[in-house]
Amino acid sequence: MKKNLLIAQSGGPSAVINASLVGIIKKALSSKGKKTFNKVYGGINGIEGILDRKIIDISKQLQKADKVTFETFKRTPAMALGTCRYKLPKTVNKDYKNLFKILKEFNVGYFIYIGGNDSMDTVNRLHEYSIKNKEDILFVGVPKTIDNDLNVTDHSPGFGSAAKYVASSIINTYLDSSSYSQKSVTIVEIMGRNAGWLTAASVLARKIKSLNNAPHLIYLPEVAFDEKEFIKKIDELTDKINTVIVAVSEGIKNKKGKYILESNRGTNDKFGHAVLGGVSKRLESLILEKLSEKKLKTRSIELNVLQRVGSNTISRTDMNEAFESGEKGCEYLMNGQSGVMPIYIRKDSSKYKIKIVPEKIEKVANIEKKVPKSFISKNKIDVTSKMVEYLSPLIKGQTAFYNDEGTVSVFSFDKEDFVNPNDNG
Amino acid sequence: MKKNLLIAQSGGPSAVINASLVGIIKKALSSKGKKTFNKVYGGINGIEGILDRKIIDISKQLQKADKVTFETFKRTPAMALGTCRYKLPKTVNKDYKNLFKILKEFNVGYFIYIGGNDSMDTVNRLHEYSIKNKEDILFVGVPKTIDNDLNVTDHSPGFGSAAKYVASSIINTYLDSSSYSQKSVTIVEIMGRNAGWLTAASVLARKIKSLNNAPHLIYLPEVAFDEKEFIKKIDELTDKINTVIVAVSEGIKNKKGKYILESNRGTNDKFGHAVLGGVSKRLESLILEKLSEKKLKTRSIELNVLQRVGSNTISRTDMNEAFESGEKGCEYLMNGQSGVMPIYIRKDSSKYKIKIVPEKIEKVANIEKKVPKSFISKNKIDVTSKMVEYLSPLIKGQTAFYNDEGTVSVFSFDKEDFVNPNDNG
């Protein structure tokens, strides 16, 4: 008898993680998919919800879904199945056993998890446990991260859209600040704890000549941040130009490796990462203090969660690739593969083209892909043309969120219509 | 001999103030406009720049402009001519005399100023001075304000686009926060010192049913804010639902009329207004302090300047109306009118339609149009269906900022190619 497919999402939201979900669902519900899978289930709030048996019947809920529904679903930012920040421990504990018990209870033979680094680690652990214990369940991961810090793959679904949001914010911020005749410094704080890809995407604003080379300073977490050097640079720049825009990663650290703002909330998240934010305010104060005689108009802008779920700046390239990653992940399960995830390989050619291939998750998970030295300028406060080449194709293509009536459609599941496992064979 | 037209922009940027500028320019450069005006000049950084003779020749700079240039120009947020926050004093001083001296030096017979309340006040003073001193210069204002606080007119150019940005931010924030299973409160801080129109626009997110009635609390500056009541509401709401979204105006005050956060920068702007921001952080801390036992995930999001120059959420209705306001303002000058500005009259009918008519500036300037009681719910933490009816048509229609290549075009003048007044007749 055919077994069921269980899909879940995990980690931080992105603008296109639902596009990956739709890719999986459409493939699973296709005539070919139906040969492999019995029902398509969704786990609510990732592993955490699954451990609570919060499982819905996607096949049933989408029975009458038409093309428009799927298109809306693809464009709905954040996670239709909800998320969690749960990470399986290294050593097998009762959660492993519970989880497999529940999967078998729901006759699940296939599990696919969409998420970032930590989620891929979880998929890998489950895959290894499954093999070791000769369980008949296959595990596949589908990548998602606005941080673009997944190893091996050229880039990750979710990054292109966030990058587009960041570039757009720099453009708008510059136009706003440069409307004034006063000398000003505007600090834009961008997500990214340890990898500076998203902060680097601010460079895309420079394609507009009249932006006068904004952002003028780009601070990545890969480079040790020196407050004195920063103030010196601001002093020099504001002597020369009126409108200075600084792009700064929330995760910048001093040369001792300590975050410039260790934490503005005094708490750590469930993975033990410091909850950051507020670096730009810190730099703003620093300028006001050290360069007070210059009477600079200083402002800090935290892009906050809007950068990861920016529904009005979804890159069509990113959305389509996210969708295809989902399809591929589902195909891997249909081919009987486990412990793999789809990665992007970029062809070395003048025209941007990617190929999606399976890769062993163990090669990807738990290794943070940082910005390489060749992408960082020698002066350490800028990125190179290689970075621009790398980034440019990822933000291409428009998508529409608002319709002409000024209204928005978003897709949502009934997240409380749980499956009764006894209904299954 | 024909006289020159001088155009300038003033006050805070908006997403469509350049659309008004294009409306003026296109009308002035039309065959009909050419019968009235000699050259079309632009004052850089408003009255302040004009006092420094920073005047460019728009006719010359746009000599070769094609349709695409004008379309790009219309969609470029913030101010192509730059801005200032200069307000003419009530009593005539040397600036009045200097200004008229310069206007005559540049053979200016027509002056048109695009801006908000304070800028309209300036136009009115210049108009009155001109009449009193029998100067042969006409003064017209074109409204602009994301705050929507201009009196008499149904609404103001710039508001619809900012409203769309706010609604969109609430939608995206809800989708992000509700992806998590944890109980959370997210506070979205919206611009508006004394008028709550823009904060009220958050209600438009509610058109999406799956948003579960977000935003759940709407705090306008028109209503005295009570911290105890706020905490009580948050406590009640988080007992009932998982994801609470609060829309709060930066300008909320306690019952004594004092701003909840008097100032987070300790400075006042040039008009003597307190520089606000940071109210949401204050409310976030309050929740963490007073409801600590509930362990709520609490986050504050300051929409900051991006809400006023949101190039990706420009309302086509707003952009077109802004353009037409510019055209009308220019027409008033061509008809020999002075001391007037175009206002919107909304037809009372099922279909949204506005008529643009001239109104005496003295009736509009210096009176802040606040949200009327009929638009505020009896419980004072929400708005009524009248508000929703009023707001809904203003955000209709899409515009494109990014092209399909993932690039953006923005328009810019050469702001340093100043006119030599001796070149004029």
Side-chain angles (χ1 to χ4, degrees):
Chain A
M1 200 205 143
K2 285 183 294 182
K3 292 200 171 177
N4 299 321
L5 167 66
L6 178 60
I7 318 170
Q9 296 172 309
S10 172
S14 89
V16 300
I17 183 167
N18 282 336
S20 292
L21 178 56
V22 174
I24 298 168
I25 293 172
K26 287 196 86 169
K27 185 60 78 178
L29 295 178
S30 70
S31 53
K32 217 175 151 190
K34 281 176 180 163
K35 286 181 190 158
T36 306
F37 311 118
N38 179 28
K39 289 187 178 177
V40 181
Y41 287 160
I44 301 298
N45 293 118
I47 296 281
E48 224 169 52
I50 295 168
L51 284 167
D52 282 340
R53 293 182 171 71
K54 291 186 175 167
I55 291 169
I56 62 167
D57 189 338
I58 290 179
S59 323
K60 197 177 83 183
Q61 290 200 27
L62 288 179
Q63 222 164 15
K64 290 171 188 165
D66 57 4
K67 213 183 149 183
V68 176
T69 306
F70 280 115
E71 282 303 311
T72 300
F73 193 171
K74 265 166 76 176
R75 282 163 177 74
T76 299
M79 286 130 127
L81 291 171
T83 187
C84 66
R85 285 209 171 272
Y86 175 91
K87 192 175 173 176
L88 272 178
K90 269 190 188 179
T91 45
V92 173
N93 69 353
K94 67 171 178 9
D95 282 349
Y96 282 77
K97 286 166 195 165
N98 269 341
L99 197 67
F100 275 86
K101 191 180 152 227
I102 291 165
L103 294 180
K104 283 185 269 186
E105 197 178 311
F106 284 82
N107 195 30
V108 170
Y110 310 90
F111 181 83
I112 190 162
Y113 212 29
I114 319 171
N117 240 320
D118 291 310
S119 316
M120 292 305 109
D121 177 69
T122 289
V123 176
N124 196 44
R125 287 184 199 288
L126 291 171
H127 158 71
E128 284 172 354
Y129 181 92
S130 186
I131 288 178
K132 205 175 162 192
N133 295 278
K134 301 201 172 83
E135 301 282 2
D136 193 17
I137 306 179
L138 306 179
F139 293 88
V140 158
V142 171
K144 173 279 331 169
T145 166
I146 63 155
D147 294 327
N148 200 35
D149 61 351
L150 278 167
N151 202 28
V152 187
T153 186
D154 178 78
H155 60 282
S156 295
F159 173 65
S161 297
K164 192 166 184 169
Y165 183 96
V166 166
S168 175
S169 299
I170 297 285
I171 297 168
N172 293 341
T173 299
Y174 177 84
L175 293 172
D176 189 280
S177 298
S178 66
S179 293
Y180 294 88
S181 60
Q182 293 156 270
K183 279 195 183 291
S184 69
V185 181
T186 309
I187 301 154
V188 180
E189 179 175 331
I190 299 155
M191 281 179 168
R193 277 188 177 88
N194 301 311
W197 297 101
L198 198 53
T199 302
S202 62
V203 74
L204 293 172
R206 275 199 213 138
K207 297 205 165 186
I208 302 173
K209 274 194 183 164
S210 59
L211 245 60
N212 198 19
N213 220 32
H216 306 92
L217 299 168
I218 300 177
Y219 290 105
L220 308 181
E222 283 84 355
V223 175
F225 183 81
D226 185 308
E227 294 194 348
K228 271 189 189 164
E229 279 297 318
F230 169 70
I231 290 298
K232 208 179 135 199
K233 268 288 154 203
I234 295 290
D235 195 15
E236 283 169 18
L237 274 166
T238 50
D239 275 350
K240 278 184 246 159
I241 56 175
N242 243 3
T243 308
V244 175
I245 306 287
V246 181
V248 63
S249 162
E250 62 174 349
I252 52 167
K253 304 165 198 73
N254 64 19
K255 61 183 175 191
K256 288 178 185 163
K258 207 184 156 198
Y259 285 117
I260 294 305
L261 201 68
E262 194 66 58
S263 165
N264 72 332
R265 297 211 178 83
T267 53
N268 284 2
D269 74 9
K270 282 197 181 174
F271 288 149
H273 305 141
V275 177
L276 300 179
V279 158
S280 53
K281 274 267 172 272
R282 163 84 188 131
L283 300 188
E284 185 188 343
S285 311
L286 204 64
I287 294 170
L288 288 172
E289 186 195 322
K290 303 286 182 189
L291 299 172
S292 59
E293 79 286 355
K294 286 193 120 172
K295 291 192 168 51
L296 301 168
K297 189 176 166 186
T298 313
R299 194 190 282 274
S300 55
I301 300 177
E302 220 182 300
L303 295 188
N304 223 310
V305 297
L306 293 170
Q307 70 198 289
R308 67 184 183 193
V309 287
S311 56
N312 305 297
T313 42
I314 290 177
S315 147
R316 203 172 56 235
T317 300
D318 185 29
M319 188 180 74
N320 290 344
E321 290 174 354
F323 178 83
E324 287 166 36
S325 299
E327 285 185 316
K328 288 285 183 187
C330 192
E331 272 176 28
Y332 302 159
L333 286 174
M334 285 152 68
N335 298 340
Q337 289 176 275
S338 185
V340 293
M341 58 177 271
I343 63 159
Y344 299 157
I345 307 285
R346 195 188 298 213
K347 299 274 187 183
D348 253 334
S349 71
S350 59
K351 209 176 163 248
Y352 173 76
K353 209 174 154 76
I354 62 149
K355 204 178 142 184
I356 304 180
V357 299
E359 179 59 270
K360 282 185 183 166
I361 290 183
E362 60 181 2
K363 283 201 182 166
V364 183
N366 286 322
I367 306 159
E368 274 181 322
K369 184 181 69 178
K370 296 191 180 182
V371 176
K373 278 195 177 152
S374 61
F375 281 30
I376 303 174
S377 303
K378 277 189 182 159
N379 66 11
K380 296 186 172 183
I381 48 176
D382 205 348
V383 296
T384 63
S385 59
K386 268 194 180 175
M387 176 63 100
V388 178
E389 266 171 56
Y390 169 80
L391 293 169
S392 297
L394 310 185
I395 68 163
K396 281 192 187 178
Q398 291 267 86
T399 60
F401 185 53
Y402 278 96
N403 68 14
D404 253 9
E405 281 306 290
T407 54
V408 163
S409 295
V410 306
F411 174 84
S412 68
F413 283 119
D414 178 348
K415 290 204 267 182
E416 291 183 354
D417 184 17
F418 300 130
V419 172
N420 181 345
N422 300 325
D423 293 348
N424 287 283
Chain B
M1 201 205 144
K2 285 184 293 182
K3 291 198 172 176
N4 299 321
L5 166 67
L6 178 62
I7 317 171
Q9 295 173 310
S10 172
S14 89
V16 300
I17 183 166
N18 282 337
S20 292
L21 178 56
V22 175
I24 298 167
I25 293 171
K26 287 197 87 169
K27 185 60 80 177
L29 296 177
S30 70
S31 53
K32 219 177 151 189
K34 282 178 180 165
K35 285 181 189 160
T36 306
F37 311 118
N38 179 31
K39 288 187 178 176
V40 180
Y41 287 161
I44 300 299
N45 293 117
I47 295 282
E48 225 169 52
I50 296 169
L51 284 167
D52 280 341
R53 293 182 171 71
K54 291 185 174 167
I55 291 169
I56 63 166
D57 190 339
I58 290 179
S59 325
K60 197 178 84 185
Q61 290 200 25
L62 289 179
Q63 222 164 13
K64 289 171 190 166
D66 57 5
K67 214 183 148 182
V68 176
T69 307
F70 280 115
E71 282 304 310
T72 300
F73 193 171
K74 266 165 76 177
R75 282 163 177 74
T76 300
M79 286 130 127
L81 290 171
T83 187
C84 67
R85 286 210 170 270
Y86 175 91
K87 193 175 174 176
L88 272 178
K90 268 190 186 174
T91 45
V92 173
N93 69 351
K94 66 172 178 8
D95 281 350
Y96 282 77
K97 286 163 197 169
N98 268 340
L99 196 66
F100 274 86
K101 191 181 151 224
I102 291 165
L103 293 180
K104 283 186 272 187
E105 198 178 311
F106 284 81
N107 195 32
V108 170
Y110 310 90
F111 181 84
I112 191 162
Y113 211 29
I114 319 173
N117 240 320
D118 291 311
S119 314
M120 292 304 110
D121 178 68
T122 289
V123 176
N124 197 42
R125 288 183 200 286
L126 292 171
H127 158 70
E128 284 173 354
Y129 181 92
S130 186
I131 288 180
K132 204 176 164 193
N133 295 278
K134 301 201 172 82
E135 300 283 3
D136 193 17
I137 307 180
L138 305 179
F139 292 88
V140 158
V142 170
K144 173 279 330 170
T145 166
I146 62 155
D147 294 327
N148 200 35
D149 60 352
L150 278 167
N151 202 27
V152 188
T153 187
D154 179 77
H155 60 281
S156 295
F159 173 64
S161 298
K164 192 165 183 167
Y165 183 96
V166 167
S168 174
S169 299
I170 297 284
I171 296 167
N172 293 341
T173 299
Y174 177 84
L175 292 172
D176 188 280
S177 298
S178 67
S179 293
Y180 294 89
S181 61
Q182 292 156 270
K183 280 196 183 288
S184 68
V185 181
T186 309
I187 301 154
V188 181
E189 179 176 331
I190 299 154
M191 281 181 168
R193 279 187 177 88
N194 301 309
W197 297 101
L198 198 53
T199 302
S202 62
V203 74
L204 293 172
R206 275 199 213 137
K207 297 204 165 185
I208 302 174
K209 274 193 182 162
S210 59
L211 245 60
N212 198 20
N213 221 32
H216 305 93
L217 298 167
I218 301 176
Y219 290 105
L220 309 181
E222 283 84 354
V223 175
F225 184 81
D226 185 308
E227 294 194 348
K228 272 190 188 165
E229 279 298 318
F230 170 70
I231 289 299
K232 208 180 134 196
K233 269 286 152 203
I234 295 291
D235 195 15
E236 283 169 20
L237 274 166
T238 50
D239 275 349
K240 280 183 246 162
I241 56 175
N242 244 3
T243 308
V244 175
I245 306 288
V246 181
V248 62
S249 161
E250 63 174 348
I252 52 165
K253 303 164 199 75
N254 65 18
K255 61 183 176 192
K256 288 178 183 163
K258 207 185 155 196
Y259 286 116
I260 295 304
L261 200 70
E262 194 68 55
S263 165
N264 73 331
R265 297 211 179 84
T267 52
N268 285 0
D269 73 9
K270 282 198 180 172
F271 289 149
H273 306 141
V275 178
L276 300 178
V279 158
S280 53
K281 274 265 172 272
R282 163 84 188 130
L283 300 188
E284 185 189 342
S285 311
L286 205 64
I287 294 170
L288 288 172
E289 185 195 322
K290 303 286 181 189
L291 299 172
S292 59
E293 80 286 355
K294 287 192 120 170
K295 292 193 169 49
L296 301 167
K297 189 177 165 186
T298 312
R299 194 190 281 275
S300 55
I301 300 177
E302 220 183 300
L303 295 189
N304 223 310
V305 298
L306 293 170
Q307 69 197 290
R308 66 184 183 192
V309 287
S311 56
N312 304 297
T313 43
I314 290 177
S315 148
R316 202 172 56 235
T317 300
D318 186 30
M319 188 181 73
N320 290 344
E321 289 175 353
F323 179 82
E324 287 166 37
S325 298
E327 285 185 316
K328 288 287 184 186
C330 192
E331 270 177 30
Y332 303 159
L333 286 174
M334 285 154 66
N335 298 338
Q337 289 175 278
S338 184
V340 293
M341 58 177 270
I343 62 158
Y344 298 157
I345 308 284
R346 195 188 296 215
K347 299 275 186 182
D348 252 334
S349 73
S350 59
K351 205 174 167 256
Y352 172 76
K353 208 171 157 66
I354 62 148
K355 204 177 141 185
I356 303 180
V357 298
E359 179 59 270
K360 283 184 184 169
I361 290 183
E362 58 181 3
K363 282 198 182 167
V364 183
N366 285 321
I367 305 158
E368 275 182 320
K369 184 181 69 177
K370 297 190 180 180
V371 176
K373 278 193 176 154
S374 62
F375 281 30
I376 304 174
S377 303
K378 277 187 182 158
N379 67 10
K380 295 186 172 181
I381 48 176
D382 204 348
V383 296
T384 63
S385 59
K386 268 193 181 175
M387 177 64 100
V388 178
E389 268 171 55
Y390 169 80
L391 293 169
S392 297
L394 310 185
I395 68 164
K396 282 192 185 176
Q398 292 267 85
T399 60
F401 185 54
Y402 278 96
N403 68 15
D404 253 9
E405 281 305 291
T407 53
V408 162
S409 297
V410 306
F411 174 84
S412 68
F413 284 119
D414 178 346
K415 291 205 265 181
E416 290 184 355
D417 184 17
F418 300 129
V419 172
N420 181 345
N422 301 323
D423 293 347
N424 287 282

